[in-house]
Amino acid sequence: MTALPQHAAIRLRNLTVAYRGHPAVHHLSGDFAPGSLTAIVGPNGAGKTTLLAAIMGRVSPVEGEVQRAAGRIAWLPQQVEIDRSFPIRVFDLVALGHWSRVGSLRGLDAPQREAVHHALDAVGLAGFERRGIAELSAGQFQRVLFARVLLQDAPVILLDEPFNAIDARTTADLLAVVARWHAESRTVIAVLHDLEQVRRHFDRTLLMARRCVAWGPTAEVLHAEHLFRARQMAEAWDDDAALCEEAA
């Protein structure tokens, strides 16, 4: 991995990523600065989640690269990716945030157990430790996932649709957690759909439609002309085009 300059926590260089053989992210280049708070927006199928997966290293580029500064990256997936029927308690799911430091063979010591309780208290779930995750509402479960991210204490945090299908109070509480991360100079990147929410809470935005439409200060990016261009680009997608040779 190439060393990054101090002004970049993550650098994308001509990044192209395919999903099921079809390009989902095209020739994307740019930097996420350390401590920046960036929303990723765009039409459905624009490659937003695929981009997060590439930053995490979960998918490999067919062209270009992702350069990452040293340090852990915390990932909050969409709820639909998690099997809520798995028999695990809230405490144990949050404790997985210690995984990178503790591993699977060691038990938690007293400070680590206290950190789990503190994380749950920070997201408004004190007293929920012994509940099974299947018993939780969507909003409560999202608070649990945020608590796990809190425990990871990572300098870079990726959030995939973190406020989708949850109530307004939970959204407000979790946005306050995001604001705290930003105040702590963590780099936060979130895939979002609510543009008014982006305008109110995120100072930088990447608007993409598989390719970059605009990337910069939110007020400039979410201009009507850019949003119209993103819709036009989405309408022109040909999902029956030939597969990428590298991914076929």
Side-chain angles (χ1 to χ4, degrees):
M1 181 178 66
T2 307
L4 286 179
Q6 291 185 353
H7 66 267
I10 297 170
R11 170 165 290 175
L12 312 178
R13 297 184 62 183
N14 196 36
L15 181 68
T16 298
V17 183
Y19 178 71
R20 294 182 179 175
H22 297 279
V25 176
H26 291 257
H27 306 293
L28 183 59
S29 295
D31 293 349
F32 295 95
S36 57
L37 179 61
T38 305
I40 302 177
V41 302
N44 290 335
K48 304 182 292 293
T49 293
T50 301
L51 175 57
L52 291 192
I55 292 172
M56 276 292 295
R58 294 163 64 99
V59 297
S60 300
V62 297
E63 187 176 348
E65 65 176 337
V66 178
Q67 298 177 356
R68 307 171 190 87
R72 296 182 305 279
I73 298 179
W75 161 280
L76 189 149
Q78 296 181 31
Q79 285 202 26
V80 294
E81 297 182 28
I82 301 173
D83 182 4
R84 292 278 303 278
S85 67
F86 189 78
I88 186 172
R89 297 182 309 163
V90 165
F91 181 94
D92 298 321
L93 180 57
V94 174
L96 290 174
H98 282 308
W99 182 277
S100 63
R101 297 180 293 276
V102 176
S104 60
L105 300 179
R106 291 174 49 197
L108 301 181
D109 59 24
Q112 289 164 341
R113 296 181 68 84
E114 182 61 29
V116 175
H117 291 292
H118 181 74
L120 284 167
D121 184 56
V123 298
L125 287 184
F128 279 66
E129 288 84 353
R130 299 184 62 83
R131 293 199 190 184
I133 62 172
E135 303 174 46
L136 305 177
S137 68
Q140 289 168 340
F141 186 62
Q142 196 70 343
R143 290 174 187 264
V144 170
L145 296 181
F146 264 73
R148 184 176 64 176
V149 172
L150 278 168
L151 212 61
Q152 291 178 264
D153 194 26
V156 177
I157 298 168
L158 308 182
L159 309 173
D160 194 359
E161 300 188 20
F163 312 119
N164 190 34
I166 62 175
D167 60 277
R169 178 180 174 182
T170 298
T171 297
D173 289 346
L174 296 182
L175 278 167
V177 174
V178 172
R180 192 176 90 191
W181 284 330
H182 184 45
E184 294 169 347
S185 297
R186 303 179 196 269
T187 305
V188 182
I189 305 169
V191 169
L192 298 170
H193 289 284
D194 186 334
L195 298 187
E196 288 308 310
Q197 191 178 82
V198 173
R199 289 186 175 99
R200 290 195 301 270
H201 300 284
F202 289 77
D203 54 12
R204 295 188 64 79
T205 297
L206 165 59
L207 171 60
M208 57 187 295
R210 301 189 181 175
R211 298 179 183 272
C212 177
V213 178
W215 189 351
T218 294
E220 298 176 13
V221 170
L222 296 185
H223 188 278
E225 181 180 346
H226 292 149
L227 296 172
F228 178 69
R229 183 176 172 225
R231 288 195 297 271
Q232 284 186 313
M233 292 169 69
E235 290 168 359
W237 291 337
D238 181 4
D239 289 324
D240 295 320
L243 299 179
C244 295
E245 292 183 4
E246 297 90 336

